[in-house]
Amino acid sequence: METYKKIRCCGGWVHRCKHVSKVLGNLEMNFTVFTPAAAAAGSPVPQIYWLSGLTCTDENFTTKAAAFKKANECGVALVIPDTSPRGAKIPGEDDSYDFGSGAGFYLNATAAPWSKNYHMYDYIVSELPALVNGNFPVKPDKVAIMGHSMGGHGALTIALKNPDKYKSASAFSPICNPINCPWGQKAFKGYLGDDTDAWKMYDAVELVKGYSGPDLHLLVDQGDADEFLQEQLKPEALQAACLATKGLSLTLRMQEGYDHSYFFISTFIDDHIQHHAHHLN
Amino acid sequence: METYKKIRCCGGWVHRCKHVSKVLGNLEMNFTVFTPAAAAAGSPVPQIYWLSGLTCTDENFTTKAAAFKKANECGVALVIPDTSPRGAKIPGEDDSYDFGSGAGFYLNATAAPWSKNYHMYDYIVSELPALVNGNFPVKPDKVAIMGHSMGGHGALTIALKNPDKYKSASAFSPICNPINCPWGQKAFKGYLGDDTDAWKMYDAVELVKGYSGPDLHLLVDQGDADEFLQEQLKPEALQAACLATKGLSLTLRMQEGYDHSYFFISTFIDDHIQHHAHHLN
């Protein structure tokens, strides 16, 4: 991997990196890592993964989320991947904002032609952590995960499927129940085919229903003026599932007047970083 | 004027506005205003103008500066204009990143063909304040001004020329001495013609030399890894001029390792807002 840009910010450093990903079929991928001042001092730090939403690259969060001041203060690294393979050259890949490039949905595609490259689940859970842990002063066993919208779905499902890997998980306006909303149904049908039982493996509400691991200290912020809330996001289904599941706490905060944008994320990101830092330390 | 978008952020509101500007030759202009929660409560608040740098619109600061949390906390409004007239249709207007559109340099052009539209000085000092004061709950007599690079030049020169209008001024990596750097010489020659005496009216160092108004509590942050520092910015000339001028204080902070980008601005913007809030209250 190559760090092709290193920019000082908020007392720490923003590293823009690229590498060739094996699990995504040997495509070049970009990602960003923020390391706090505490890491420069030589001692490894805990890390929080951020998974972005539809249409994003690693740059949206990096430039718009206003997260680095608090991350530096809490002494945590932030790992910010892209949202899909890039340049797979699959016909139709760039035609929709909600499917294909920029819309990997953090799953392993099993349906052709996507199954060759679209393995964002393995990328986030295995390949990228190995790379980051090997190249940055981070603690491999102190990891939290958070995300926005499609990335909120990613953060919740990945934590629920790997409670040994993540100490806590949080989300902004997550797609909580993709098997029951248009975004999720379109993506899961395309990437996973018609077997709806396979879809459930990537649905946060379904995963909560079967969950028996340690508490993941779930925190979800949801704007009540979010244009996608009604049709796509379904936080009430997540809340109901968590209430019926022993030992899995969820703090769901409905935020009055806030929409689906980075203006919303930048407002509450400090709370999420603080929440994870607390459970990582 | 029309507020075409109103977005909740950090407890306050981001207003995206447009209007037709008379002083810019009846062109449509966009600008953004952030109002803090304190303003929604009905009582008018102090205001800080932000002037952006080359190539920017009002959106760069709005999305990247991470300024709204502190502005809300301090109870100040932020007024964020564009950097030039738009759509004047002057031949060559869009050819350079450092002259024409996106590069108005906050002056009143006197040389043809720019003299018809390029009056960003009058726009920032007179027309926009009248509009903002008439349409938002702000105090017209409690105003500070700050900016970045070309906008740092704008903030310093506008405050130095109008000490009755601004309580304090600050800048990130400002073009301190435009008559002695390539960016400034190109712009001033184009907008003002060959009379270099006219150039001095828009040069912060020259204006400081002749300054006799009240203290403007100047604050300047400058990254020492800024690629433009050596050739274009000249903070040492500003510092020398301020030291030789009675009653005009300058705090110049060289920031180790920081560059010219919004990663730098977002790191120190809280300090600038706090500085102005102190002098506005």
Side-chain angles (χ1 to χ4, degrees):
Chain A
M1 75 151 248
E2 182 197 342
T3 299
Y4 63 92
K5 214 165 187 184
K6 192 179 164 189
I7 311 158
R8 195 142 177 73
C9 188
C10 294
W13 293 92
V14 175
H15 310 254
R16 300 217 62 218
C17 309
K18 60 184 178 183
H19 71 121
V20 174
S21 164
K22 277 187 191 163
V23 302
L24 303 180
N26 295 315
L27 297 176
E28 185 172 278
M29 294 291 287
N30 290 300
F31 65 96
T32 295
V33 175
F34 174 80
T35 55
S43 48
V45 295
Q47 43 185 326
I48 309 174
Y49 276 65
W50 170 268
L51 305 186
S52 300
L54 289 168
T55 77
C56 289
T57 69
D58 59 315
E59 290 200 272
N60 303 67
F61 182 87
T62 300
T63 56
K64 295 180 171 182
F68 299 144
K69 190 161 285 183
K70 181 58 78 178
N72 191 62
E73 191 184 306
C74 292
V76 295
L78 299 179
V79 182
I80 308 150
D82 203 346
T83 55
S84 76
R86 299 286 174 177
K89 295 181 184 161
I90 298 172
E93 188 181 30
D94 301 329
D95 292 355
S96 312
Y97 80 98
D98 57 359
F99 188 76
S101 56
F105 270 85
Y106 306 102
L107 49 72
N108 290 333
T110 51
W114 311 98
S115 52
K116 189 189 163 200
N117 304 100
Y118 278 69
H119 296 152
M120 286 301 288
Y121 177 84
D122 281 350
Y123 182 71
I124 301 296
V125 173
S126 304
E127 189 179 41
L128 186 59
L131 198 67
V132 169
N133 295 342
N135 286 279
F136 291 92
V138 292
K139 293 182 177 169
D141 59 336
K142 298 282 187 186
V143 187
I145 191 164
M146 59 184 181
H148 171 231
S149 195
M150 175 185 75
H153 142 76
L156 295 172
T157 54
I158 283 173
L160 288 161
K161 289 161 81 82
N162 300 277
D164 54 319
K165 286 192 163 73
Y166 304 94
K167 303 291 180 202
S168 50
S170 75
F172 293 81
S173 8
I175 306 172
C176 294
N177 196 189
I179 64 172
N180 286 321
C181 78
W183 275 343
Q185 289 163 347
K186 176 178 176 180
F188 286 10
K189 191 175 168 65
Y191 293 130
L192 303 172
D194 290 329
D195 175 11
T196 53
D197 277 341
W199 298 11
K200 292 181 183 173
M201 304 287 290
Y202 294 107
D203 183 285
V205 169
E206 293 298 318
L207 290 167
V208 165
K209 286 180 189 167
Y211 189 77
S212 61
D215 194 358
L216 288 165
H217 314 287
L218 304 180
L219 169 63
V220 171
D221 273 314
Q222 173 62 57
D224 74 0
D226 184 329
E227 62 189 296
F228 303 111
L229 172 53
Q230 213 57 5
E231 191 180 12
Q232 304 282 10
L233 304 178
K234 320 238 180 251
E236 66 287 350
L238 181 69
Q239 190 171 44
C242 286
L243 280 171
T245 302
K246 234 177 147 176
L248 184 60
S249 62
L250 166 68
T251 304
L252 170 62
R253 309 191 302 186
M254 296 301 294
Q255 303 289 5
E256 193 185 333
Y258 286 89
D259 67 9
H260 199 72
S261 73
Y262 269 89
F263 292 111
F264 168 54
I265 295 168
S266 67
T267 299
F268 299 106
I269 189 70
D270 284 1
D271 295 354
H272 286 239
I273 291 171
Q274 194 117 44
H275 175 79
H276 294 301
H278 173 74
H279 291 291
L280 289 166
N281 286 314
Chain B
M1 81 149 247
E2 183 197 341
T3 299
Y4 63 90
K5 216 167 184 183
K6 194 179 162 189
I7 310 159
R8 195 144 178 74
C9 186
C10 293
W13 293 92
V14 176
H15 310 256
R16 300 220 60 219
C17 309
K18 61 183 176 183
H19 73 120
V20 175
S21 164
K22 276 188 191 163
V23 303
L24 303 180
N26 295 313
L27 297 176
E28 186 172 279
M29 294 291 288
N30 290 300
F31 65 96
T32 295
V33 175
F34 174 79
T35 55
S43 47
V45 296
Q47 42 184 327
I48 309 175
Y49 277 65
W50 170 268
L51 305 186
S52 299
L54 290 168
T55 77
C56 289
T57 69
D58 58 314
E59 290 198 273
N60 302 68
F61 181 87
T62 300
T63 56
K64 294 180 171 181
F68 298 144
K69 191 163 284 184
K70 182 57 79 174
N72 191 63
E73 192 184 307
C74 292
V76 295
L78 300 178
V79 182
I80 309 149
D82 204 346
T83 55
S84 76
R86 298 287 173 177
K89 296 181 183 159
I90 298 171
E93 187 180 34
D94 301 329
D95 291 355
S96 312
Y97 81 98
D98 56 0
F99 188 76
S101 55
F105 270 85
Y106 305 103
L107 49 72
N108 290 332
T110 52
W114 311 99
S115 52
K116 190 190 163 199
N117 305 101
Y118 278 69
H119 296 152
M120 288 300 289
Y121 177 83
D122 282 348
Y123 181 71
I124 302 296
V125 174
S126 304
E127 189 179 39
L128 187 60
L131 198 68
V132 170
N133 295 342
N135 287 279
F136 292 92
V138 291
K139 292 183 179 171
D141 60 337
K142 298 283 188 186
V143 187
I145 191 163
M146 59 184 181
H148 171 232
S149 195
M150 176 184 73
H153 142 75
L156 295 172
T157 54
I158 283 174
L160 289 162
K161 290 160 80 79
N162 301 277
D164 54 318
K165 287 192 161 74
Y166 304 94
K167 303 293 181 201
S168 51
S170 75
F172 293 81
S173 8
I175 306 173
C176 295
N177 196 189
I179 65 173
N180 287 321
C181 79
W183 275 341
Q185 288 163 348
K186 176 178 177 180
F188 287 10
K189 193 175 166 65
Y191 292 132
L192 303 171
D194 291 328
D195 174 11
T196 54
D197 278 342
W199 298 13
K200 293 181 182 171
M201 303 287 290
Y202 295 107
D203 183 284
V205 169
E206 293 297 320
L207 290 168
V208 165
K209 287 179 188 167
Y211 188 78
S212 61
D215 193 359
L216 287 165
H217 313 289
L218 304 180
L219 170 63
V220 170
D221 273 314
Q222 174 61 58
D224 73 0
D226 184 329
E227 62 187 298
F228 303 111
L229 172 53
Q230 212 60 4
E231 192 181 13
Q232 304 281 10
L233 304 179
K234 320 243 180 243
E236 66 287 350
L238 181 70
Q239 190 169 45
C242 286
L243 281 171
T245 301
K246 235 176 143 177
L248 185 60
S249 63
L250 167 67
T251 304
L252 170 62
R253 308 192 303 186
M254 296 302 294
Q255 303 289 5
E256 193 185 335
Y258 286 88
D259 67 10
H260 199 72
S261 73
Y262 269 89
F263 292 113
F264 168 54
I265 296 169
S266 67
T267 300
F268 299 106
I269 190 69
D270 285 1
D271 295 354
H272 286 239
I273 291 170
Q274 195 118 44
H275 175 77
H276 294 301
H278 173 72
H279 291 291
L280 290 167
N281 286 312

